Amino acid sequence: MRIGIIGTGSMADALGTSWARAGHDVLFGGRSPDRAQALAGRTGSRAGTPAEAAAFGDVTLLALPYDAVAGLLPSLGPLRDRALIDCTNAIGPGYTLTTTGGPGAARTIADATGARVVKAFNHLPAHLWATPQGPTTVPLCGDDEKALTLVGTLVRDLGHTPLTVGGLERAAYLETTTAFLIGLWHTGHDPRTLLPPLTAVRPEPRTP
């Protein structure tokens, strides 16, 4: 699959490197040409501009800090009907959903571009995509079945399991959950201790 990656930071590096290793044709398009070229050289991929990455191939990964997205979108060219993976997190002063009350990152990007946006890969830090600690279920939110199928394939190629959890109207819940998880991790708490086994929540039906 041909994958254009907008960004050259840790998420772009982790996911792009893993997809290139899995045999995909990757183009890194960064605001820093030097960083894009360095990533391309290290992974045997291609380098270009953000606009070239946006127009490249079957699917595009938007891997930028959320506060840089709005300023860059107009320079990317037409994105309408393109499959676009949004792994951003609107976290920080002025960006958290709890303070803005807005529609969330994925819906905002979809409304601004007309792209077939799938929210994915935002729930774990970059180093865990680069060096996974075992298979993980990756939640996906999107309104377009073909785009969800494409992204599901890319999830499997990383050794993980895709799980569609709803349309873009549910992406805001995923983004808020991620903000909550990050807060727990940064204060040294294990979020897994908050949840009982599934059988405790959904007990097996009793046989007559």
Side-chain angles (χ1 to χ4, degrees):
M1 195 181 303
R2 288 158 56 94
I3 307 167
I5 297 181
I6 302 170
T8 55
S10 56
M11 284 294 288
D13 187 348
L15 293 170
T17 297
S18 297
W19 284 326
R21 190 180 299 126
H24 293 289
D25 187 1
V26 175
L27 187 151
F28 292 97
R31 294 172 293 173
S32 165
D34 290 343
R35 291 185 67 172
Q37 191 62 57
L39 275 175
R42 181 162 54 77
T43 59
S45 304
R46 313 186 200 189
T49 65
E52 288 170 333
F56 183 77
D58 306 289
V59 63
T60 302
L61 172 71
L62 183 63
L64 294 172
Y66 184 68
D67 58 1
V69 170
L72 189 66
L73 285 181
S75 69
L76 296 180
L79 289 169
R80 179 165 297 279
D81 296 328
R82 294 195 63 82
L84 181 69
I85 304 170
D86 168 33
C87 70
T88 66
N89 281 310
I91 295 171
Y95 295 104
T96 57
L97 295 173
T98 53
T99 58
T100 65
R107 173 56 69 188
T108 299
I109 293 166
D111 289 347
T113 63
R116 298 180 293 140
V117 174
V118 176
K119 190 78 185 189
F121 302 110
N122 71 304
H123 78 298
L124 292 179
H127 72 276
L128 291 181
W129 298 118
T131 55
Q133 304 299 303
T136 300
T137 298
V138 179
L140 312 179
C141 294
D143 295 334
D144 185 90
E145 289 298 325
K146 290 184 178 179
L148 286 166
T149 298
L150 280 175
V151 179
T153 298
L154 294 177
V155 170
R156 292 186 185 93
D157 288 346
L158 296 180
H160 303 293
T161 302
L163 176 65
T164 300
V165 295
L168 281 186
E169 78 280 356
R170 294 186 63 83
Y173 295 114
L174 178 55
E175 293 165 2
T176 304
T177 299
T178 299
F180 181 69
L181 292 175
I182 290 172
L184 290 175
W185 287 327
H186 282 187
T187 54
H189 295 284
D190 185 347
R192 293 172 299 179
T193 63
L194 304 179
L195 302 175
L198 180 60
T199 52
V201 180
R202 299 181 59 186
E204 293 293 329
R206 296 181 181 178
T207 55

